[in-house]
Amino acid sequence: MSAVPESEIPADVPELEPREGQQVRYTTCYMCACRCGIKVTLENGRVRFIQGNPDHPVNRGVLCAKGNAGIMKQYSRAKLRAPLRRKPGSERGAGEFEEISWEEALDELTERLRRIRAEDPKKLAYFTGRDQMQALTGLWASQFGTINWAAHGGFCSVNMATAGLYTLGHAFWEFGDPDWERTRYFVLWGTAEDHASNPFKRGIDQVKRNGGRFVAVNPVRTGYQAVADEWVPIRPGTDGMLAMALGHCLLRDGQFDWAYLVRYTNAPQLVVQTPGEPGDGLILRDEDGAPLVWDLEQEACVDGRQAEIAPALFGAYTAPDGRPVKTAMTLLAERYLDAAYAPERAAEVCGIPAADIERLAAELAHVAFEEAIEVPCEWTDWAGRKHDRFIGRPVSMHAMRGVSAHSNGFQAARAIHTLQLLLGSVEVPGGHRAKPPYPRPVPPPARPARETAPDTPLGGSPLGFPVAPEDLVVDAAGEPLRIDKAFSWQAPLSAHGKMHTVITNAVAGDPYPIDTLMLFMANMAWNSAMNTAQIQELLCAKDEQGAYRLPYLVVSDAFHSETVQFADLVLPDTTYLERYDCISMLDRPISEPDGPADAIRQPILEPEGDVRPWQEVMIELGARLGLPAFTNDDGSPRYAGYNDFIVHYERAPGIGFLAGWRGADGDKPLRGEPNPQQWQRYIDNGAFFKYELPLSQQFYKFANKGYLEWAHEVGFIGAAEPIVMALYAEPLQRFRLAGQGLYDGPAPPDATDAERIAAYCDPLPLFYQPLEERRIEADGHPAYPFHAVTQRPMTMYHAWDSQNAWLRQILAQNHLYMNRARGEALGLADGDWVWVESHNGRIRAQLRLMEGTQADTVWSWNGMGKQAGIWGLEPGAPEATRGFLVNHLIDDRLPAREGEKPLSNSDPVTGQAAWYDLRVRVYKAAPEEQGSAYPPSPTFRPPPGVENGPLALLRYATHRARELRRSLRDTLTRGGWQ
Amino acid sequence: MRLGLVIDLDTCVGCHACAVACKQWNTSGTLGPLSDYEPYGAAPSGVWVNRVRSYEQGQYPHSKTVNLPLSCMHCDRPPCVDVCPTGASYKREADGVVLVDDAKCMGCNYCAWACPYGARELDTASGTMKKCTLCIDRIYDTRLPEAERQPACVLACPANARHFGDLDDPDSEVSRLVRERRGYPLLPEMGCEPVNHYLPPRPAAASRPPAAAPAEAGGQGRAAAVQEWANRIVRR
Ligand code: SF4
Ligand code: SF4
Ligand code: SF4
């Protein structure tokens, strides 16, 4: 960027911007989950301008449409103004509220929570949405003593996180990114406007500027796909098949990184081959638990963790105890080279010509191996061997929601990571790089808490990474202990919980009834729910005595959402510009591959109305309830507020919520005693902290001595030992054995669970048709020829509202998009209103025909439809009259089968909500049905303090414009042209 | 100087960041306020002087989505200035920026009809025309750090698709981009001689690795191949 040189600045331009009286503050954006740094100019106590912070590691000065629309979030008229209580005697959902004071609200809540905690703490279910403060809410929940806590990952992208952490020890997005600077070939799988926003737009530009190639695998060509060099229009739910077919070609042609697989993955480890017997499929280990490999020189099984051995990558051998074994790589190759994964077969499944698959595989191999790069730098590997360069395979990939939101998404994501491993492109220059504190051991060594007791904190976090059936959160009979049935036989690796099942389960009392559901920033009665209409009914369901089946619903949100409407108690939150906050490494980091980073938010505006940041409420409730972490020994509150907590709380000695400027003098980055000046140091540094690793520690972190020792010192990993990536995911085999009745330990009591565990908990990637569509076909439902998927528009992704006065001018109504030729063949025209019908119901939507949609796919913008009168919108707003939610069509359970207990519509391994498995048919609505969406929305009244009446005109400005009059010379010459 | 924008259609992902940044800066700036009509109602609309349009080229499966941000082109022969009956519209001599003198504008809308790029919008609340000022209230503001003396839309663009500079100066970054990437003005046949230029998509072939040796066709399942691979000695 070049500015006009000062010498060239014309004399006739007055100072147009009244900078006197303006102040500049730095904080962190919260219009979405990207968490960019922002520089906010204030004028007369109002926001003049929000721009990107040029120094911030996430966005380097740029700012997306959402970030630029922060002003209209701040001054939104949907903002809640005071705590609200459902009027005594009124029906839940009717929206009859009375304002109460915070004192009353917190007294009422404290009393209730105190009783629950004394009786059975898990009767409190506490689930949070797009909050990104799980370090605090998780700590609070475990201090309270309930295992029924999670954030929204279970219905968002847990398949990606889990597949990554069980394969690489890191994953996509917050855990790892393409090496934008060096990558020469970038493959984007599935929707990505979601995660991430600005870093991806910057990255795509970098790749293209460097002459790299960008391939987009996606059923829809919008968004980032628009600028892809190649668009691969894949049929939804088949990405795993494509990834495996690419792997098939690479293996068939010998195009894989032999040395990389031997050195850094468990590919050479020996796997026991005794089908039908206990121990089958587990890694062969010695008495000390060391995994064994076959050493080609010693011709014997040796401890595979040693340096300098010569492990066989392929082959079948005999273990010292006589059992047959094969290398994990051999099993992988056998799986992949099967005709089931040949390009010809994938072509049928994915709708991509076999020749294209062959070509893509050849291109991947070419760039990885023929265009390998080197970064000269001395570094030392885990065994102390010195190297003078990092070898790079400049192929990188990214995948997110599109792959994740299928019931085969975990295995699909595993298949993508496997492809990366075959190419040797993980944690290398030009490849996919981990972001510290990742990589972590595969999987990270935390197991989910199980035991609860009255008035007692949990022994650990409610969430974790099971590696064996013993780690499940089930009772002695094998039944789920969590309300969402996470970590049960129905979803053993549900590392982010299963928020999308909570309301249905709680109302059904399955596995048990609860007392209180506390929701923060989650629209569970609307666009975050499957089967939306039914969820709203369930929220109001009563038992025979006339009592609500879900006795008490507490909602904290800054805005009047559909869910607020159903609350018994509403606790109004602040906006992001009105609060203390931290983006902690103990949570979802904002680190970059070259070093860890974290950030703060500072209040730069006074909150409007009687509202409080939820973080402060957490701290206060913690103290009121006497939770040990929030209370002094004498029972007094330990922290003055959230920023006091952030600075002084230590999770382990020297480790707190913020990593910057620790130590009494602020000279200890990452680990050190609390520094009372820490907060100010963040403010002085533009509200963030970034630690840059020396170049010698930036790559091969999993096997880089310098990095591993440092990461151990600062508490990222428990030991400075190499992290071996898992081509073969042994934990899954332990579950599978349990499903087969061959595990020496807990086993699933239910036959369906056992069958599913045995089928899907496969230690090697596999492709299977998504569960719902398979059932629908098998059950002989009427034909549903289309896959239906959704994505969020770039102007709204992760923005948990769309009432923004500026952004809704860009998009206020969603349409159903269909391939043009396909639509015309069905006799449909652009603009028609059509019925969209699934096995679960039907909706009416307005159709748009377009070229850039895969022929078997229809799609829409998600979360656009609103209920009438909510979000500060006038009841006639297009969001409510013409917009729609696809969610109505999606059942939260799989189509029932005789004699089978209800099964969640989720990935059977991780419990990830299978939003995109939906199949529909589409037909034209009758003439009298044209013009409006179905189901129609009832009109809701806003609560006290929220306005939704007509507003004809809005003219936002922080000062009166200074006029720019033309100069006399200009006037005389009428400009400089003839 | 001939100041203007150069917009890269190879990386513009159609994110609207530039449009909203423009709205945000200018509603409190020299142009402001930029009115919003029925902001929460049935037909929300408002004054924007930079809008992003999208269209498709080609047919499935070879179609492409093209995003086209449109704002004032600061034409060298601006028809909007020609038709302005009050003299409110003018093109600055010093830098070529086309502006409207709000005090003289009577909102007759002639200029909006004359502009082939749809760059001018009538603000019905002020009764005057609004258009891109090239952020004249930023680019010369020496109180800003030099790196921020840029139009708001250029600062915001996450895809680095927007470039500001002097198209008269052959050594400027914008001139270089236009030269090297074969940048072009929109609708040259209208004869307005726009200053703003657009960069076409880079030819995909240029960034593509040469095709590797064609793979053996029809590779069917060959589990046997696993046994065929002689093990190599690779030290761990
Ligand atoms: S909305 Fe998201 S991507 Fe946009 S600026 Fe804010 S944090 Fe960054
Ligand atoms: S901000 Fe940049 S990428 Fe986004 S629409 Fe504008 S020009 Fe395109
Ligand atoms: S230069 Fe300024 S006024 Fe013109 S489009 Fe960009 S932001 Fe808007």
Side-chain angles (χ1 to χ4, degrees):
Chain A
M1 275 194 283
S2 48
V4 175
E6 272 178 53
S7 57
E8 302 272 330
I9 292 181
D12 64 341
V13 181
E15 280 185 355
L16 293 162
E17 179 71 7
R19 297 208 168 266
E20 58 287 354
Q22 294 186 345
Q23 298 106 37
V24 170
R25 298 270 185 283
Y26 290 86
T27 186
T28 305
C29 185
Y30 203 1
M31 294 294 286
C32 85
C34 234
R35 297 157 294 169
C36 299
I38 50 175
K39 177 176 177 183
V40 184
T41 303
L42 300 172
E43 184 173 42
N44 306 322
R46 301 217 292 166
V47 182
R48 163 65 181 97
F49 192 49
I50 304 177
Q51 66 191 102
N53 175 355
D55 302 320
H56 199 277
V58 171
N59 57 321
R60 306 251 170 227
V62 304
L63 199 67
C64 79
K66 295 165 289 183
N68 269 293
I71 287 176
M72 286 297 132
K73 167 87 93 188
Q74 180 61 29
Y75 303 110
S76 161
R77 63 180 198 169
K79 277 166 85 174
L80 298 169
R81 308 278 155 172
L84 301 169
R85 177 161 55 203
R86 178 162 60 86
K87 271 196 188 147
S90 75
E91 292 296 310
R92 185 184 283 167
E96 306 251 353
F97 292 107
E98 58 188 17
E99 280 190 8
I100 55 174
S101 70
W102 273 98
E103 214 38 46
E104 263 176 291
L106 292 180
D107 283 351
E108 179 173 323
L109 185 57
T110 307
E111 198 182 312
R112 190 154 192 132
L113 293 178
R114 187 174 286 133
R115 178 178 51 71
I116 296 173
R117 188 162 188 260
E119 287 166 9
D120 179 2
K122 66 179 187 307
K123 300 251 163 166
L124 168 68
Y126 175 21
F127 285 81
T128 73
R130 303 184 185 117
D131 53 278
Q132 311 250 348
M133 46 181 275
Q134 293 157 40
L136 175 67
T137 61
L139 171 72
W140 192 94
S142 52
Q143 288 282 308
F144 184 86
T146 179
I147 50 174
N148 290 325
W149 168 84
H152 78 282
F155 66 72
C156 183
S157 293
V158 65
N159 270 337
M160 309 318 289
T162 310
L165 293 170
Y166 279 78
T167 308
L168 311 179
H170 62 280
F172 294 120
W173 190 29
E174 290 154 315
F175 310 99
D177 253 352
D179 185 358
W180 298 117
E181 250 177 273
R182 302 177 185 86
T183 204
R184 305 274 310 157
Y185 199 94
F186 170 55
V187 187
L188 180 61
W189 302 75
T191 340
E193 283 78 312
D194 43 1
H195 321 73
S197 176
N198 288 330
F200 264 71
K201 298 180 192 108
R202 289 183 54 237
I204 288 170
D205 168 57
Q206 252 176 311
V207 173
K208 299 196 106 195
R209 214 167 348 126
N210 295 342
R213 189 165 173 80
F214 167 23
V215 176
V217 179
N218 198 307
V220 181
R221 187 164 208 184
T222 55
Y224 301 165
Q225 287 67 228
V227 300
D229 294 301
E230 177 169 356
W231 175 42
V232 181
I234 192 168
R235 195 173 280 147
T238 67
D239 305 70
M241 177 55 117
L242 176 61
M244 290 185 72
L246 292 169
H248 174 104
C249 298
L250 295 178
L251 285 161
R252 183 198 61 206
D253 301 338
Q255 295 277 16
F256 51 88
D257 193 334
W258 195 297
Y260 185 92
L261 292 166
V262 167
R263 290 186 184 132
Y264 307 124
T265 76
N266 67 2
Q269 294 181 8
L270 298 171
V271 180
V272 174
Q273 297 295 293
T274 54
E277 286 173 33
D280 175 47
L282 297 182
I283 286 170
L284 185 69
R285 292 172 191 276
D286 66 13
E287 315 77 65
D288 303 327
L292 300 179
V293 298
W294 183 262
D295 187 288
L296 290 167
E297 292 169 330
Q298 302 174 45
E299 301 203 345
C301 293
V302 302
D303 179 346
R305 298 171 309 182
Q306 306 168 83
E308 292 302 308
I309 49 172
L313 186 56
F314 289 97
Y317 305 93
T318 306
D321 63 7
R323 288 185 295 172
V325 294
K326 281 182 181 173
T327 69
M329 186 69 184
T330 307
L331 298 175
L332 181 98
E334 286 174 358
R335 162 78 50 90
Y336 272 68
L337 289 173
D338 191 276
Y341 297 111
E344 293 71 21
R345 175 74 189 119
E348 287 165 24
V349 173
C350 309
I352 300 161
D356 285 346
I357 300 175
E358 292 280 0
R359 178 177 48 76
L360 290 169
E363 287 175 10
L364 288 170
H366 176 87
V367 178
F369 304 122
E370 305 304 319
E371 294 187 354
I373 55 176
E374 286 179 1
V375 171
C377 177
E378 204 162 280
W379 67 286
T380 308
D381 72 22
W382 61 277
R385 294 168 293 202
K386 289 222 182 305
H387 304 262
D388 61 0
R389 77 200 72 176
F390 291 112
I391 308 264
R393 309 262 178 237
V395 174
S396 62
M397 298 184 189
H398 179 81
M400 206 31 78
R401 267 305 272 288
V403 171
S404 193
H406 290 287
S407 56
N408 60 10
F410 171 78
Q411 292 289 6
R414 282 261 299 142
I416 292 171
H417 289 314
T418 300
L419 201 52
Q420 295 179 301
L421 289 177
L422 290 174
L423 294 165
S425 68
V426 176
E427 257 297 286
V428 303
H432 175 76
R433 299 172 66 190
K435 298 175 171 182
Y438 295 86
R440 288 204 158 127
V442 183
R447 311 290 167 250
R450 178 171 38 218
E451 314 306 333
T452 57
D455 284 329
T456 310
L458 302 178
S461 167
L463 302 180
F465 304 95
V467 293
E470 288 81 355
D471 300 333
L472 291 181
V473 184
V474 292
D475 64 15
E479 296 302 328
L481 279 170
R482 285 178 56 113
I483 189 69
D484 57 359
K485 304 189 184 181
F487 308 112
S488 74
W489 293 107
Q490 294 182 21
L493 306 192
S494 35
H496 290 176
K498 297 185 62 182
M499 187 171 184
H500 53 294
T501 67
V502 171
I503 292 170
T504 305
N505 292 354
V507 172
D510 169 21
Y512 47 82
I514 59 169
D515 180 276
T516 294
L517 173 60
M518 206 154 76
L519 294 174
F520 171 55
M521 207 185 251
N523 205 359
M524 293 311 293
W526 192 241
N527 56 303
S528 293
M530 291 172 155
N531 217 350
T532 310
Q534 200 199 333
I535 292 290
Q536 293 198 349
E537 277 169 29
L538 290 178
L539 285 170
C540 301
K542 294 180 177 172
D543 63 15
E544 300 71 36
Q545 282 76 48
Y548 287 111
R549 289 184 184 274
L550 176 62
Y552 196 59
L553 178 63
V554 183
V555 174
S556 176
D557 204 308
F559 301 101
H560 178 220
S561 74
E562 283 83 357
T563 304
V564 162
Q565 204 67 15
F566 291 87
D568 299 305
L569 183 67
V570 180
L571 299 174
D573 191 19
T574 63
T575 71
Y576 66 111
L577 299 176
E578 301 165 340
R579 71 207 295 155
Y580 291 102
D581 209 345
C582 78
I583 292 82
S584 171
M585 252 177 263
L586 304 185
D587 203 321
R588 305 165 59 175
I590 55 159
S591 305
E592 289 290 306
D594 63 359
D598 62 14
I600 62 159
R601 288 193 187 95
Q602 54 167 329
I604 59 175
L605 291 170
E606 287 292 319
E608 276 186 301
D610 194 12
V611 300
R612 290 190 191 175
W614 182 240
Q615 292 92 330
E616 308 288 349
V617 176
M618 286 274 90
I619 302 279
E620 171 155 4
L621 279 173
R624 282 174 170 239
L625 291 165
L627 307 185
F630 301 99
T631 330
N632 290 316
D633 295 340
D634 65 359
S636 59
R638 186 180 292 189
Y639 302 106
Y642 189 44
N643 66 329
D644 189 38
F645 170 90
I646 291 171
V647 171
H648 292 106
Y649 173 78
E650 287 177 278
R651 179 151 93 174
I655 296 179
F657 270 41
L658 288 175
W661 302 283
R662 299 194 69 82
D665 300 323
D667 54 0
K668 297 183 186 161
L670 294 135
R671 191 165 194 167
E673 61 283 12
N675 167 14
Q677 296 306 313
Q678 188 184 35
W679 193 263
Q680 190 57 44
R681 298 296 292 269
Y682 271 84
I683 292 176
D684 297 344
N685 196 53
F688 73 94
F689 162 74
K690 168 83 193 284
Y691 177 91
E692 186 160 326
L693 294 166
L695 186 65
S696 62
Q697 296 180 11
Q698 288 190 16
F699 302 100
Y700 293 76
K701 298 188 197 86
F702 48 68
N704 183 321
K705 190 178 171 75
Y707 175 79
L708 292 167
E709 283 174 355
W710 173 83
H712 171 58
E713 260 166 50
V714 301
F716 290 170
I717 50 177
E721 281 162 14
I723 292 162
V724 177
M725 293 181 286
L727 203 67
Y728 188 83
E730 190 186 25
L732 286 157
Q733 179 65 12
R734 298 200 190 97
F735 288 100
R736 188 198 216 184
L737 287 172
Q740 294 169 338
L742 298 173
Y743 187 71
D744 186 17
D750 178 273
T752 311
D753 287 346
E755 200 184 300
R756 282 159 48 102
I757 292 274
Y760 306 119
C761 288
D762 196 308
L764 291 168
L766 87 161
F767 172 77
Y768 51 91
Q769 190 183 16
L771 303 184
E772 188 189 72
E773 62 179 73
R774 184 163 6 138
R775 279 208 170 183
I776 282 167
E777 284 178 16
D779 292 356
H781 280 281
Y784 297 113
F786 287 101
H787 299 260
V789 296
T790 61
Q791 57 175 335
R792 282 287 265 163
M794 274 194 255
T795 47
M796 286 166 195
Y797 204 90
H798 257 151
W800 63 91
D801 63 79
S802 55
Q803 93 288 2
N804 188 293
W806 287 342
L807 298 180
R808 68 187 292 268
Q809 292 182 46
I810 295 170
L811 193 64
Q813 178 197 345
N814 56 328
H815 292 84
L816 186 81
Y817 291 91
M818 183 186 280
N819 177 283
R820 181 178 307 281
R822 186 75 188 269
E824 284 168 357
L826 290 172
L828 299 172
D830 202 76
D832 279 352
W833 285 81
V834 293
W835 287 103
V836 191
E837 188 177 315
S838 76
H839 75 103
N840 194 50
R842 64 175 195 165
I843 59 172
R844 195 168 57 228
Q846 194 176 17
L847 188 72
R848 283 261 176 276
L849 299 179
M850 68 182 287
E851 299 297 333
T853 294
Q854 195 269 344
D856 305 315
T857 303
V858 291
W859 68 275
S860 190
W861 300 117
N862 182 35
M864 286 296 310
K866 301 283 169 204
Q867 289 202 292
I870 314 266
W871 292 108
L873 298 180
E874 294 171 32
E879 287 90 336
T881 56
R882 301 167 71 87
F884 61 94
L885 277 193
V886 173
N887 308 43
H888 292 292
L889 301 175
I890 307 176
D891 200 343
D892 58 343
R893 297 185 161 179
L894 287 179
R897 285 266 169 87
E898 274 282 310
E900 186 187 81
K901 65 181 176 188
L903 292 171
S904 162
N905 181 12
S906 302
D907 187 294
V909 180
T910 63
Q912 153 93 47
W915 300 100
Y916 298 169
D917 284 0
L918 182 66
R919 298 295 296 256
V920 299
R921 61 200 183 100
V922 180
Y923 50 94
K924 194 165 170 170
E928 67 278 11
E929 295 167 337
Q930 301 287 315
S932 66
Y934 181 91
S937 169
T939 298
F940 294 95
R941 259 195 304 149
V946 176
E947 196 36 63
N948 72 356
L951 178 68
L953 184 65
L954 175 69
R955 304 191 82 211
Y956 184 86
T958 51
H959 61 257
R960 271 182 70 113
R962 291 189 182 171
E963 280 180 43
L964 179 74
R965 289 179 194 277
R966 48 189 314 192
S967 69
L968 181 61
R969 183 178 160 83
D970 260 337
T971 309
L972 293 175
T973 57
R974 284 184 61 89
W977 65 289
Q978 296 78 45
Chain B
M1 288 190 295
R2 270 161 76 250
L3 298 180
L5 299 175
V6 170
I7 297 171
D8 188 346
L9 300 185
D10 188 49
T11 57
C12 173
V13 291
C15 70
H16 295 267
C18 54
V20 187
C22 171
K23 177 90 174 171
Q24 188 198 185
W25 174 258
N26 286 301
T27 200
S28 291
T30 308
L31 272 186
L34 297 177
S35 299
D36 296 306
Y37 317 117
E38 284 194 57
Y40 302 110
S45 68
V47 179
W48 299 66
V49 297
N50 176 27
R51 293 180 185 257
V52 183
R53 283 156 173 106
S54 298
Y55 61 92
E56 291 187 296
Q57 266 177 349
Q59 276 192 325
Y60 176 82
H62 305 293
S63 59
K64 185 161 167 47
T65 301
V66 178
N67 301 300
L68 186 68
L70 285 169
S71 55
C72 170
M73 306 287 160
H74 298 285
C75 305
D76 279 342
R77 303 178 66 84
C80 54
V81 175
D82 267 348
V83 301
C84 179
T86 64
S89 269
Y90 63 107
K91 184 173 172 77
R92 288 168 51 82
E93 218 175 71
D95 49 24
V97 177
V98 175
L99 291 175
V100 179
D101 180 350
D102 203 60
K104 284 193 184 154
C105 175
M106 61 179 189
C108 67
N109 221 9
Y110 286 1
C111 55
W113 290 324
C115 172
Y117 305 99
R120 291 179 162 238
E121 304 205 358
L122 176 65
D123 187 329
T124 57
S126 66
T128 55
M129 299 310 294
K130 302 286 168 80
K131 66 172 293 301
C132 164
T133 64
L134 213 57
C135 285
I136 197 149
D137 44 9
R138 295 190 61 85
I139 56 175
Y140 297 140
D141 191 339
T142 49
R143 297 164 299 173
L144 288 173
E146 187 176 325
E148 288 183 26
R149 293 207 295 263
Q150 298 281 323
C153 58
V154 173
L155 278 185
C157 176
N160 191 31
R162 304 178 73 89
H163 307 268
F164 160 76
D166 179 6
L167 284 124
D168 253 357
D169 173 4
D171 297 328
S172 69
E173 190 205 351
V174 281
S175 297
R176 185 184 56 77
L177 281 170
V178 169
R179 212 163 42 238
E180 290 174 4
R181 297 273 311 279
R182 296 169 186 269
Y184 57 88
L186 289 190
L187 303 179
E189 65 277 15
M190 301 303 295
C192 308
E193 294 176 22
V195 173
N196 285 9
H197 278 65
Y198 289 79
L199 305 178
R202 293 177 174 91
S207 57
R208 181 172 200 167
E216 221 177 286
Q220 68 288 67
R222 289 194 310 161
V226 176
Q227 272 84 44
E228 287 162 21
W229 282 322
N231 264 314
R232 301 185 204 167
I233 303 278
V234 173
R235 296 225 175 267
R236 187 164 183 276

